[in-house]
Amino acid sequence: MKRRNASLLGNALMGLGLIVMVVGVGYSVLNQLPQINLPQFFAHGAVLSIFLGAVLWLAGARVSGHEEVCDKYWWVRHYDKRCRRDRQNHG
């Protein structure tokens, strides 16, 4: 896949993931209001859609090449073996 197409696909997946997450959070919040009689059956699906949106977001970041942003996080820098500076060969 060409770089431009990969970037477009990744950005589309990231956008779709964001929309799915926002809709899931919105439905979960609206479901708590007693004035609006929304079916409880979809409440579990709304919570699932938040996680599904996050997975779509991460897949889009991976495809489009935006995953380098995660290297700036403290947890990844200090505890991920790939990001450590103290590379010592034991053996």
Side-chain angles (χ1 to χ4, degrees):
M1 185 181 303
K2 290 184 179 180
R3 184 176 181 95
R4 182 175 179 203
N5 291 338
S7 180
L8 287 174
L9 176 65
N11 289 338
L13 284 174
M14 288 175 68
L16 181 65
L18 180 65
I19 290 170
V20 169
M21 283 190 287
V22 169
V23 168
V25 168
Y27 190 88
S28 295
V29 169
L30 288 177
N31 194 28
Q32 298 299 316
L33 298 175
Q35 299 91 345
I36 304 174
N37 292 325
L38 296 175
Q40 288 291 327
F41 176 73
F42 293 124
H44 301 294
V47 174
L48 180 65
S49 72
I50 296 169
F51 294 107
L52 180 64
V55 169
L56 284 172
W57 177 278
L58 291 173
R62 178 72 181 187
V63 169
S64 65
H66 292 296
E67 78 275 0
E68 295 97 19
V69 174
C70 72
D71 292 340
K72 295 180 182 178
Y73 293 123
W74 184 88
W75 183 266
V76 174
R77 272 192 314 202
H78 288 84
Y79 293 105
D80 193 355
K81 293 177 184 176
R82 296 172 296 165
C83 298
R84 284 194 176 166
R85 292 185 182 176
D86 58 345
R87 297 187 188 263
Q88 297 173 357
N89 293 334
H90 297 288

